[in-house]
Amino acid sequence: MGIYTFDAARFTSIQVPTLLLIGSESPQFFQETTRTLRATIPGSEVAVLAGQQHNAMDTAPDLLVETVTRFVDQR
């Protein structure tokens, strides 16, 4: 990951519904990255998982499933 260079142009043509997940307690780096992706991917949405960090799949799996299911059901 240390050699990856973000190229926003690669993401601007995504045409599928995209849900970006972030924990409210995630490190600032992840928060900033999520904001950048939201601004880059057309029509993307951000779901903030309250009280979670970057590992909600382990610490709050029910919340994660509920959030993703709600997003998919809206499509």
Side-chain angles (χ1 to χ4, degrees):
M1 289 186 356
I3 62 171
Y4 177 77
T5 301
F6 179 72
D7 178 7
R10 293 183 59 212
F11 295 85
T12 59
S13 63
I14 293 175
Q15 297 182 12
V16 296
T18 303
L19 177 64
L20 303 166
L21 301 169
I22 188 73
S24 65
E25 306 305 314
S26 290
Q28 189 62 31
F29 169 79
F30 291 122
Q31 304 278 345
E32 292 169 9
T33 300
T34 300
R35 283 192 294 274
T36 299
L37 288 170
R38 169 61 191 98
T40 304
I41 300 172
S44 62
E45 297 178 28
V46 174
V48 179
L49 304 175
Q52 300 304 308
Q53 294 186 11
H54 192 62
N55 59 338
M57 72 291 264
D58 297 322
T59 58
D62 292 342
L63 175 60
L64 180 69
V65 169
E66 175 187 325
T67 303
V68 172
T69 300
R70 187 178 328 114
F71 177 79
V72 171
D73 285 348
Q74 292 174 353
R75 302 297 163 276

